[in-house]
Amino acid sequence: ACSSKFVLSHVHPMWQGPLAVPGGDRQSPIDIVVRKSVFDSQLRPLVTDYDPETCQQIWNNGYSFLVEYDDTTDKSTLKGGPLQDKFRLCQFHFHWGESNAWGSEHTVDKRLFPAELHLVHWNSEKYSLFEEAVMEDNGLAVIGVFLKVGKRNEGLQKLVDALPAIRHKDSVIEFTKFDPACLLPVNTDDYWTYHGSLTTPPLTESVTWIVMKQHIEVSHDQLAVFRSLLFTSAEEEVQKSMVNNFRVQQPLRGRTVRSSFT
Ligand SMILES: NS(=O)(=O)c1ccc(C(=O)O)c(S(=O)(=O)NCCc2ccccc2)c1
Ligand SMILES: [Zn+2]
């Protein structure tokens, strides 16, 4: 899997890392200004082909929880959309707030959502390892999906039920047969896309971001379980709730956000 081998232990407490990377002119997240996005008719529908059998584990890495997939073969892939190559799913995770008023990393016309899902993929046509791809311009593709509070999300419940077992940083449990397609919105043809970066250290500018226009709904109670996770490990005296694990928005620096819809 992608990030399990690298527990970012060097990440200082303010996991958000520097506000901006020196010389970085394609940092993420950003505010998507809808009326400034440019429709591109060349943008194709996303093609996801996820195999639930590749789901391996769920763990708390000290700033989010990650569901990790076996990315040693092309069994769970993403292609199409703005992408030229085939990308392999390595993990998905979320960002959320301490209240339903904020929590997402991207915003749409400054609108905040209570949480945001990221599905991280790497270019397996050009690179042989995630760790290589993460350093390259066209190395990663991350799908962003906004979460809104509403009806209970049945697909999410299996994941929510696993969270109490990984309350503390560095806890991990086996987690299998989870199809991440159940977390995608009904309509995946409408999205914004732009070139950006990881929103966590090392903040490398290797990400083609694909942000879904349509959100998914989760219940208030499901989101409350996210907030029961802890940033801190079992040994630490002071336990800190895992909330507000999002990075501040970054300057657009002249980038164009393209849309697949008018
Ligand atoms: N918000 S985001 O999509 O940018 C993102 C957040 C967290 C992580 C992570 O590793 O935990 C990742 S990651 O899986 O891409 N890993 C980045 C850190 C890393 C770099 C190099 C090798 C392993 C891990 C991405
Ligand atoms: Zn993320």
Side-chain angles (χ1 to χ4, degrees), residues 69-83:
Y69 285 74
D70 168 19
D71 60 355
T72 55
T73 70
D74 267 347
K75 278 198 186 144
S76 287
T77 59
L78 164 67
K79 58 187 199 314
L83 307 171

Side-chain angles (χ1 to χ4, degrees), residues 60 62 166-171 227-243:
N60 176 333
I166 56 161
R167 273 194 84 211
H168 289 103
K169 175 181 174 191
D170 295 335
S171 45
R227 301 187 187 106
S228 71
L229 291 172
L230 300 168
F231 277 129
T232 44
S233 57
E235 296 73 42
E236 292 174 67
E237 304 76 54
V238 181
Q239 300 294 334
K240 288 187 215 108
S241 311
M242 184 181 276
V243 292

Side-chain angles (χ1 to χ4, degrees), residues 3 6 61 63 91 93 95 118 120 130 134 198-202:
S3 54
F6 292 73
N61 70 351
Y63 54 78
Q91 58 102 324
H93 63 274
H95 303 265
H118 290 158
V120 181
F130 169 84
V134 79
L198 294 176
T199 66
T200 60

